[in-house]
Amino acid sequence: QVQLVESGGGLVQPGGSLTVSCTASGSILSINAMGWYRQAPGKQRELVAAITSGGSTNYADSVKGRFTISRDNAKNTVYLQMNSLKPEDTAVYACNAEILEYIFAYPGRRLREYWGQGTQVTVSS
């Protein structure tokens, strides 16, 4: 079984910075794309940023130039560095990963999408 665990959320003032991280653990053979999504109260979940196993990235227009996604493949961890935070960035941030995992039954592996439990980021003075 695989788990994604986020950390690093919290309260920050407008204009401030925060980094959230997400680590995958379990019977992992490899990890393809990893990403961060967010959902604010009363709004639909949206993709914030994503990164491929090769390091290619894409960002939502609303965070371009302010957020940076990165990953450490050796640690199975993805990071989201958030700068110049705005009140509208307030949301629950959840990580997502497409993981090739080992399974006991034939054929011994499967590709599956996993989600973290989410971490609250609040931008307020």
Side-chain angles (χ1 to χ4, degrees):
Q1 201 46 284
V2 172
Q3 283 189 319
L4 298 184
V5 178
E6 297 111 336
S7 62
L11 174 64
V12 62
Q13 291 187 339
S17 298
L18 198 65
T19 298
V20 291
S21 62
C22 171
T23 298
S25 63
S27 304
I28 298 169
L29 293 173
S30 63
I31 303 177
N32 296 337
M34 303 183 82
W36 285 96
Y37 288 74
R38 67 185 181 186
Q39 186 167 22
K43 293 189 176 181
Q44 287 190 329
R45 184 172 62 194
E46 62 173 347
L47 174 67
V48 177
I51 184 168
T52 68
S53 58
S56 297
T57 60
N58 69 285
Y59 297 91
D61 288 341
S62 59
V63 306
K64 282 181 181 177
R66 299 188 299 122
F67 290 11
T68 301
I69 188 170
S70 61
R71 63 191 282 174
D72 184 333
N73 291 330
K75 296 181 178 179
N76 291 334
T77 299
V78 62
Y79 305 94
L80 185 68
Q81 170 71 41
M82 302 179 284
N83 298 324
S84 303
L85 282 160
K86 305 174 181 179
E88 51 264 42
D89 294 318
T90 295
V92 174
Y93 286 70
C95 68
N96 169 276
E98 186 178 67
I99 295 175
L100 183 64
E101 63 177 333
Y102 167 81
I103 58 173
F104 181 75
Y106 178 85
R109 60 183 61 190
R110 68 182 175 191
L111 190 64
R112 190 172 179 181
E113 184 180 38
Y114 282 92
W115 288 88
Q117 81 284 357
T119 185
Q120 177 70 46
V121 173
T122 302
V123 185
S124 175
S125 55

